Each structure stands twice: as structure tokens, then as C-alpha cells.
Amino acid sequence: MGDALYGLIEAGGTKFVLGIARGKDDIIATTRLPTLNPTDTLGAVVEWFSLQVQIHGPLTAIGIGSFGPLELDPASPDWGHITRTPKQGWANTDLVGPLRRAFNCPVAIDTDVNGAALAEYRWGAAQGQRVAVYLTIGTGIGGGVMVDGKLLHGLSHPEMGHMRLPRHPLDTNFEGICPYHGDCLEGVASGPAIKARWGKSLSELPADHPAHDIIAWYLAQIVSTLQAIFEPGRIIFGGGVMGTPGMIDRVKTCATSLGKDYYVGAPADIITLPALGDQAGLLGALALAENLAG
Amino acid sequence: MGDALYGLIEAGGTKFVLGIARGKDDIIATTRLPTLNPTDTLGAVVEWFSLQVQIHGPLTAIGIGSFGPLELDPASPDWGHITRTPKQGWANTDLVGPLRRAFNCPVAIDTDVNGAALAEYRWGAAQGQRVAVYLTIGTGIGGGVMVDGKLLHGLSHPEMGHMRLPRHPLDTNFEGICPYHGDCLEGVASGPAIKARWGKSLSELPADHPAHDIIAWYLAQIVSTLQAIFEPGRIIFGGGVMGTPGMIDRVKTCATSLGKDYYVGAPADIITLPALGDQAGLLGALALAENLAG
């Protein structure tokens, strides 16, 4: 184990972050590449890792936490592909194949939010929890769930941004921006949904603007639904919208009021920001790679 | 295993159903008792099983699928108790203790809906599914989830009746009947919520009454939320409301329209009635008892 060398990839819609590490506290090198077209970007990824291998030796495994949706059925010939993303040029892109061919090592892949959920479970805010939910509220909304030490997968990975939720009484005229579902969670509470209504991000709006309470109210509805389904020990809220000063406390207050002490977990106790912060992406990739190496 | 003898208890708010079995296809005897006060009812339960033991020999294990909420934390001194039920006299009732003392065998307990979810996974509509959700839509609404062959538990068992959901545009004046959360799922779509609005059950209302589509619409919202979270291979709908002619097909149609083909699982494929029907309660208790015996 001490000699294992992991390749880490955080594959995002605007940038790829790469790393090479021997463990959580031994990240040897990192770099950042813009997300261009698949051929150029994946070519640059292979080139960077090839250089690292020349210096540090062969890779034990590679972990990828990626934007999606992804095909994660190991029985599918398209396993490891991005599937139907609206991101130009990236639909049906094989992320895993070029890496496996170049470095002849096992490759683990999951969504970026599943990677973050796993990393928060292993090293962060979800340690020791039987069930923990990780949500990111940003340009998009996504989530992952750890259940009994494993990432939850059904027929596919979660798409938690598309949960249904009630409409705030002061927000009923807004149709929502999700191209599929209109006023699903992502359609009403993501960064672009906030700008579509109020022209600015929450951080740019005054602290007494009603947008703050409306968004906190939506996130509190989701907390209650997740408590009804999972009774999670932690609900971790990451992403740009949660960087708004005071937002996490508004969500706790609103979820407490909504839940009426019905659940075992008190919202003030279970709701938290990520413990791993900016590192969650790369550490997610590391956790996925380590899982693979056993 | 061939000689194992299981005691089965389906503990409901109006009746207790008891059984004794050597396996799913070998249920030896069953009986039914009214749910009175805990002392009389549990006394009668012990009496009936004592008689069976005299005839058939000692019990290998007892399985209980019960109404709740239940304390299921094995580390709690109140494990196996009904906790804060509004049912008169039953709050803080120890269901397990009297049985363990009388029969000196291991006792497994979980919610009735978790038992049904486990039984449907083992013998019914959820066989082979990585994730399957069982919902009962009746006097109350409850649910259980099988994940990778195990029942989902967080800090407690699920309370899926209290999920949040959008309000149907033709139903916005109804406040909902949940004493805790008003217009949560149970507050708007349970049997009593239907009677509170329209004075009758769905089966008693004409087939073209708008109530049918309103309730189907609510259940379809829940299907979409469950798909966003779990991508389950099956969502099994049991309970009295689902006995309304045509209801399951209305839910499938509405969920298909709402999901916009976004999920891998097509609602028409994944939504189903229980395969075990009336037997789900006792078979749930059997599945819980068999789990315990390994």
C-alpha cells in the first residue's frame, strides 16, 4: 500500500483537475486544464500523466470523478462513457478507454458528487455515519448518498437535482429553468435559476432580499424529504450557492421549523458544509481509486 | 434449516396477525387478534405461540413487522419498542421483551413496510433489483427501501409518508391533514386525506371524478423524486388506495409524462403492484426472522 501511486482526475464542464498521489496526505503534483473538446483534453490528460509516470513510476490505479450523466453499468459496453450531456462535443465520450490503454491499470469512475460523498465519508464530515447525503448547489445541483459504507447506485447514479418539491408561495410565477422538468430542484434553486429570477447571484443581492429566504426554504424542503426517506446522520451542502453568507444557517432554521421535531436527526445537527472544501474533487477521485485497489 | 420453526407477527393498529411457519411455502397455522391494549394483546400473542410450541416444538426465531415508529437502534435500551405512536396506550410499548422472555429465542423486528419490502425482494416483485422501493398508500403512507440486498436504515427507519411534494394546481385550497407537516405526502394522498376533501374513498367516487387524477398526480411526483434519488429498478405500490380500479395505470401515465424520459427506468416498467398481495405482512415477518437465523 505504501508504494501505491494513484492518478486522480476531477472532470468538470469547464476544467479538468489532475493529480498524482500516494494517499490523502501525500498529493505529489496537481495541474489544471481547460475543458476543450474530448480529443484535445483527454490527449493532454494522458500526456500529463505520462510525464508523471516517467518521474514517479507506474500508476496503481486511476480514479475519475466526472460530470455526467455517466454509464456506470459494468455490464454495458459503454461503461465509463459520458452519455447524453448537453455539453457540446462530449456526449458519448469514453473517459476510461484512453487512460486504460495508455497506463494499463485499473480505472474507477463515478460522478463528481459521488466521489465527494465518498471522500467526505472517508475523511470528512460524514465519517462513521450509516447514511449520509452530499449535495452540491451550484451551476447545477447534484448529490450522492453513502449507505452502510457504500455509494448508492440503482439502475444508474443519482440525479438528485431533479427531485420534485413544493413551490414557495412568493415564487409561484417562476416556471423554473430545467429543460426537462421545469420547476424541479435544479430548476428553481440552482445558480442559473437564481440569476434568471433576480439577475444576480445571492451573494450580490442584499442580505435582506427575499431571494435568500426563498432559496433556503426550497433547500429545507429537500432536507425534510431526505429525512423522510433516509434519516441521514449528515446532509452535507456544498457548491457555490452555499458560499452565500448565512445560507447554511437559514437552511437549518427553516428545516427545523418544517420538520416539527418529527425526525430523530435534528437539522441543526445533521446539516453541515463539506469538511474537505476545495479538495473534495481530487480527494473524491482518490477515494474511488483506493476503493478499486481494495 | 429444514427443521427451523419461525413465529411470525404482523402487528397492526387494528389487528395482529400471527403465524407459525417452516418457510415461505410451509405456513403451518395463522390467527388474527384485535389490537386492544398492549397487556391484553401481547398476553394473547404469547398464549397462542405457547400453544403452537406445545404442538410443534420450540421456535428458532420470531419475526415482527409492526406499525411504528419503532426504536431500532440495537444500542438503545428501548430497542424493539414502539415509540411515540398516537395510538392510545401503545406509546413506549416493548414488543420484543415479552416474546424473548416467553420463548427464549432471537427476535427480529422492523416496520411492517420494511418487512414487506424485504419479502417482495426475496420472493416477489423486487427480486434481483439493486434498489427497490415499497410504498403503501392507505390509512397512512409508509415505505421501505432495499439497497444491495439490505433494508435501508439511517438514524431510524424511513418515514416516507412525510416526504414533501408539489401541490396540484386544482388542489391548492386543501391544507392537508398531517398533524405534523400539513401537506406532506400522507397529508394530501392518504385514505383519510381523500375522505377529508371529497367525503368518500376513491373507489366510491365516480371514475371521472377529478380526485383520481389529483391523487395519481401526487403519487407520480413521488415516483419522480424517488427516481432522482435512487433510480430504483422497482417502485411497488401497495395499500388500500392502490386498490382503486385504474389507479396504478394513472400513476404510470402521469409519471411517464413528468419524467420526460430523463431516467434510465421507464415508469411503465418499474411501477408495479405487490406480487405477494395479502401475504406480504406475514411473509415480511418471516423474511425478518429468516434473516436473523442467517
Side-chain angles (χ1 to χ4, degrees), chain B residues 89-106:
Chain B
W90 284 83
N92 306 312
T93 295
D94 181 6
L95 289 179
V96 168
L99 293 158
R100 203 146 50 175
R101 284 191 291 276
F103 302 104
N104 194 29
C105 71

Side-chain angles (χ1 to χ4, degrees), chain A residues 72-277:
Chain A
L72 297 181
D73 177 359
S76 166
D78 291 333
W79 176 80
H81 287 51
I82 293 174
T83 58
R84 57 179 152 70
T85 178
K87 185 164 175 65
Q88 177 106 38
W90 284 83
N92 306 310
T93 295
D94 181 7
L95 290 178
V96 168
L99 293 158
R100 203 145 51 174
R101 283 192 291 276
F103 302 104
N104 195 29
C105 72
V107 179
I109 184 167
D110 212 319
T111 59
D112 43 8
V113 283
N114 268 347
L118 181 60
E120 288 286 342
Y121 177 79
R122 191 157 298 166
W123 301 300
Q127 289 177 67
Q129 297 298 331
R130 191 158 180 192
V131 176
V133 181
Y134 177 93
L135 287 167
T136 180
I137 316 293
T139 307
I141 294 183
V145 188
M146 289 294 298
V147 177
D148 292 333
K150 287 169 54 183
L151 284 167
L152 172 70
H153 292 100
L155 299 177
S156 181
H157 54 78
E159 286 280 355
M160 296 182 63
H162 301 278
M163 294 173 70
R164 306 294 305 160
L165 74 180
R167 293 304 301 273
H168 190 284
L170 301 180
D171 189 45
T172 52
N173 289 329
F174 178 63
E175 288 184 5
I177 63 156
C178 173
Y180 298 98
H181 311 115
D183 62 353
C184 63
L185 174 59
E186 186 167 296
V188 299
S190 61
I194 292 166
K195 286 205 176 144
R197 302 220 239 347
W198 298 297
K200 296 178 176 178
S201 73
L202 288 183
S203 297
E204 293 163 343
L205 291 166
D208 60 354
H209 190 286
H212 294 270
D213 280 338
I214 289 172
I215 297 302
W217 187 93
Y218 283 129
L219 299 180
Q221 303 292 326
I222 294 304
V223 166
S224 271
T225 288
L226 292 171
Q227 290 196 279
I229 294 174
F230 290 110
E231 274 275 12
R234 289 288 181 280
I235 301 178
I236 303 167
F237 276 100
V241 172
M242 300 312 296
T244 311
M247 178 53 64
I248 189 104
D249 292 323
R250 286 180 202 256
V251 176
K252 286 182 186 178
T253 302
C254 193
T256 302
S257 162
L258 182 62
K260 306 282 186 212
D261 288 333
Y262 191 81
Y263 301 107
V264 172
D269 297 334
I270 67 171
I271 295 171
T272 179
L273 294 170
L276 302 176

Side-chain angles (χ1 to χ4, degrees), chain B residues 9-16 35-39 41-42 64-73 76-98 109-112 156-157 159:
Chain B
I9 303 175
E10 181 186 355
T14 57
K15 65 178 193 290
F16 272 52
T35 306
L36 307 169
N37 61 72
T39 307
T41 299
L42 295 179
I64 308 174
S66 178
F67 69 104
L70 303 173
E71 176 57 65
L72 296 182
D73 177 359
S76 165
D78 292 333
W79 176 80
H81 286 53
I82 293 174
T83 59
R84 56 182 153 70
T85 178
K87 185 165 174 65
Q88 177 106 41
W90 284 83
N92 306 312
T93 295
D94 181 6
L95 289 179
V96 168
I109 184 168
D110 212 318
T111 59
D112 43 8
S156 181
H157 53 78
E159 287 280 356

Side-chain angles (χ1 to χ4, degrees), chain B residues 2 18 34 57 63 77 81 86 178 189 216 222 246 269-270 277 281 289:
Chain B
L18 311 181
H81 286 53
C178 174
I222 295 302
D269 297 334
I270 68 170

Side-chain angles (χ1 to χ4, degrees), chain A residues 8-29:
Chain A
L8 317 179
I9 303 176
E10 181 187 354
T14 57
K15 65 178 193 288
F16 272 51
V17 181
L18 311 181
I20 188 158
R22 295 198 184 277
K24 173 182 178 288
D25 300 317
D26 192 2
I27 295 176
I28 299 166

